Amino acid sequence: MATTAPSDVRPDPPHSSDDSSLTEFGYRQELHRSLGRYASFAAGFSFISVLTTVFQFFAFGYAFGGPVFFWAWPVVLVGQLLVAACFAELAARYPISGAIYQWSSRLSTPSFGWFAGWIMVIGQIVVVAAAALALQMVLPAIWSGFQLVGGDPSPVSPDGAANAAVLGVVLLVLTTLVNILDNRVMSVINRVGVTAEIIGAILIVVLLLTHSKRTPGITFHTGGGAEGGLIGALLVGSFTAAYVMIGFDSAGEMSEETHNPRRTAPRTILTALGAAGLLGGLIILGGLLAAPSLTDGHLGVDGLSYVLTSSLGDGVGKALLADVVVAIAVATLAIQTAACRMLFSMARDGQLPFSARLARVNPRTGMPGAPALVVGVLAAALLLLNFASPDAFLAIGTTCIVMLYLAYAMVTGPLLLRRLRGEFTTEGTDETGARLFSLGRWGVPVNVLALLYGLVMTVNLAWPRAAVYDPAGGHWYFQWFTVLFLAATLGAGALYRLTHAQHPRSGAESAP
């Protein structure tokens, strides 16, 4: 461990007010508190990772929606900002790891909260796998030598899908090691990676907009790629935005490792989503304006990698793609970290199989090592589906979004009920003595819209469209993969709950 730390990673005070606030919820400080404001922001931004997710799903959005799919972006951004505003209130009041599980448990019942946490952690594991698959969209475009399996790099081809799995497993090995080492190491990598990603994203936006070949009016055209007309194009095209703008709750997930979490986490939840939403929207717009052609078929297959290398030249384009590789690696690391904290939080309450082992924290590193291994192995196992069919790429990606959206609704729903009953307090102060973040009189309308948006998007994303999930035909299980996976998750959770008496160790039975 380094003897000196960057300014944003401060040594742990022996007895801080942050630590004493954790005891109010029935826990002792085990994770190391070393994250400052920028590190907290980096946790949320790197999970969202606009360069990873936009590059991964741009081709899909364009293939089904044409240029008009751009307009799904601001709609999803507004919807997710409503959800994030609710989460910011909760992060100020419950600065605990395992955010979704903890919030839902305290707002409703321990059993309901357990299912929210169970769905969330399984969803996070699927997100880890989906993020690792994104390397296939970038590495072969930088150098053909990264195509280790076959010769076709397209992720929708058998060769590309298999190669994506190989590259993803290699990345998961590296991120698992980092998640075992030390949270200071993890934080430094996160912050450096996020800084590089923001700089790269800004450069990409500027270069694409300065190489525009058409006007923004093109975004009102479906371009012949619409699925079921304009509304269908926007509904399917919204998958891209929905996949990008998840994980902003990670700032709350890292609360037990953050200084002044009641003040810091609410702000970083909102700023991470806002910054990612703005940059992502501009990248998509720039890609549509700078693409050499909207009708030659490349945008719907090769996506933004094709736009960068063909519009900006191999040298500049590949340099920017290298920055995207960094973003993908950091995003995979951050998502795996969030999943580890969820496993740790639930295990600490004795709510999972092998809880004693999963809740063990290395006192030297401040990291729960067992959850990192579990998440890494399970995510790698999911990648093996890519060897079965290229359609697994989309099935995995969409499934993880649905899981997270449903878990989010299992927080915003009980929160709304608390508000309507007058049981949700807006009182209290943060570590600096200032009032806790609160929506005030806007709480109910914002909460209502957040819940409705989340439920509508969950149904939209999970709807088993054959043209989307099984375009080649013959793989009914991919068409229904999301529904089946969710049913299996709920069934396995119910079976575990029935066979294991649950007695939460924490104060999750009631909300203060």
Side-chain angles (χ1 to χ4, degrees), residues 57-73 214 217-230 232-238 240 284-285 287-289 293-295 299-300:
F57 265 70
F58 179 94
F60 172 82
Y62 186 84
F64 280 92
V68 77
F69 96 98
F70 166 80
W71 292 106
W73 188 273
R214 52 193 66 85
I218 193 66
T219 58
F220 292 98
H221 296 232
T222 58
E227 162 72 14
L230 178 60
L234 290 173
L235 288 175
V236 179
S238 68
T240 300
I284 289 179
L285 179 61
L288 293 171
L289 300 185
S293 172
L294 298 180
T295 58
L299 272 186

Side-chain angles (χ1 to χ4, degrees), residues 5-383:
S7 60
D8 199 54
V9 181
R10 300 189 291 274
D12 306 324
H15 299 287
S16 70
S17 60
D18 296 334
D19 297 351
S20 62
S21 69
L22 189 59
T23 63
E24 297 174 14
F25 299 102
Y27 302 113
R28 62 188 178 89
Q29 187 71 40
E30 294 181 278
L31 305 176
H32 291 180
R33 254 184 223 284
S34 59
L35 308 184
R37 181 176 297 179
Y38 188 68
S40 177
F41 166 82
F45 189 90
S46 55
F47 192 125
I48 300 170
S49 187
V50 288
L51 290 187
T52 299
T53 47
V54 170
F55 272 77
Q56 190 173 9
F57 265 70
F58 179 94
F60 172 82
Y62 186 84
F64 280 92
V68 77
F69 96 98
F70 166 80
W71 292 106
W73 188 273
V75 174
V76 172
L77 175 58
V78 170
Q80 290 296 69
L81 281 171
L82 296 171
V83 177
C86 294
F87 285 5
E89 283 190 308
L90 295 172
R93 289 156 181 79
Y94 308 111
I96 317 171
S97 291
I100 299 298
Y101 157 67
Q102 295 285 352
W103 298 342
S104 184
S105 296
R106 286 172 164 76
L107 293 169
S108 56
T109 66
S111 293
F112 188 84
W114 185 91
F115 274 100
W118 175 249
I119 292 170
M120 184 68 182
V121 76
I122 299 298
Q124 286 173 325
I125 292 170
V126 183
V127 180
V128 174
L133 287 174
L135 283 178
Q136 183 62 26
M137 298 296 295
V138 184
L139 282 180
I142 297 175
W143 179 49
S144 60
F146 286 117
Q147 185 65 34
L148 305 173
V149 180
D152 187 350
S154 171
V156 297
S157 70
D159 287 350
N163 196 67
V166 173
L167 295 176
V169 169
V170 173
L171 177 57
L172 287 174
V173 170
L174 298 176
T175 58
T176 300
L177 289 174
V178 173
N179 263 306
I180 292 174
L181 287 176
D182 192 295
N183 75 336
R184 289 181 174 87
V185 175
M186 177 270 297
S187 174
V188 169
I189 293 175
N190 250 355
R191 289 182 294 113
V192 171
V194 164
T195 302
E197 179 172 5
I198 291 174
I199 293 172
I202 293 173
L203 284 174
I204 288 172
V205 168
V206 171
L207 289 171
L208 289 178
L209 292 179
T210 55
H211 286 75
S212 296
K213 300 182 183 299
R214 52 193 66 85
T215 67
I218 193 66
T219 58
F220 292 98
H221 296 232
T222 58
E227 162 72 14
L230 178 60
I231 299 301
L234 290 173
L235 288 175
V236 179
S238 68
F239 286 26
T240 300
Y243 181 67
V244 174
M245 288 181 273
I246 53 174
F248 45 84
D249 54 293
S250 291
E253 198 72 67
M254 304 297 289
S255 287
E256 289 184 33
E257 294 155 86
T258 303
H259 291 289
N260 300 326
R262 293 181 187 272
R263 180 172 181 81
T264 300
R267 288 159 177 78
T268 51
I269 285 173
L270 292 169
T271 54
L273 177 59
L278 176 62
L279 284 173
L282 290 174
I283 290 173
I284 289 179
L285 179 61
L288 293 171
L289 300 185
S293 172
L294 298 180
T295 58
D296 63 3
H298 279 292
L299 272 186
V301 176
D302 303 318
L304 284 173
S305 298
Y306 152 73
V307 178
L308 286 188
T309 54
S310 58
S311 298
L312 306 180
D314 274 353
V316 175
K318 289 183 178 180
L320 292 172
L321 287 179
D323 188 65
V324 177
V325 172
V326 173
I328 293 171
V330 173
T332 306
L333 171 65
I335 299 165
Q336 187 174 9
T337 302
C340 291
R341 297 305 178 269
M342 180 66 74
L343 277 177
F344 163 76
S345 184
M346 295 183 72
R348 180 172 56 182
D349 287 350
Q351 298 293 293
L352 292 173
F354 310 107
S355 284
R357 185 70 186 89
L358 290 171
R360 192 176 304 163
V361 176
N362 186 315
R364 182 181 63 83
T365 65
M367 302 286 270
L373 289 172
V374 169
V375 174
V377 169
L378 292 179
L382 278 172
L383 294 184

Side-chain angles (χ1 to χ4, degrees), residues 336-468:
Q336 187 174 9
T337 302
C340 291
R341 297 305 178 269
M342 180 66 74
L343 277 177
F344 163 76
S345 184
M346 295 183 72
R348 180 172 56 182
D349 287 350
Q351 298 293 293
L352 292 173
F354 310 107
S355 284
R357 185 70 186 89
L358 290 171
R360 192 176 304 163
V361 176
N362 186 315
R364 182 181 63 83
T365 65
M367 302 286 270
L373 289 172
V374 169
V375 174
V377 169
L378 292 179
L382 278 172
L383 294 184
L384 298 181
L385 287 173
N386 253 36
F387 286 100
S389 170
D391 293 335
F393 173 85
L394 182 59
I396 292 173
T398 308
T399 297
C400 69
I401 317 173
V402 171
M403 300 285 281
L404 265 62
Y405 264 74
L406 182 57
Y408 287 175
M410 294 177 75
V411 172
T412 55
L415 176 59
L416 178 60
L417 289 177
R418 287 269 182 175
R419 289 187 199 277
L420 295 176
R421 294 171 182 166
E423 297 172 354
F424 183 72
T425 178
T426 58
E427 303 301 318
T429 58
D430 62 27
E431 296 86 357
T432 66
R435 290 189 61 184
L436 294 176
F437 177 89
S438 174
L439 292 173
R441 62 182 180 180
W442 291 99
V444 171
V446 167
N447 203 156
V448 168
L449 292 174
L451 178 60
L452 289 175
Y453 161 78
L455 293 175
V456 169
M457 280 298 293
T458 299
V459 173
N460 175 42
L461 294 165
W463 200 263
R465 301 173 176 89
V468 175

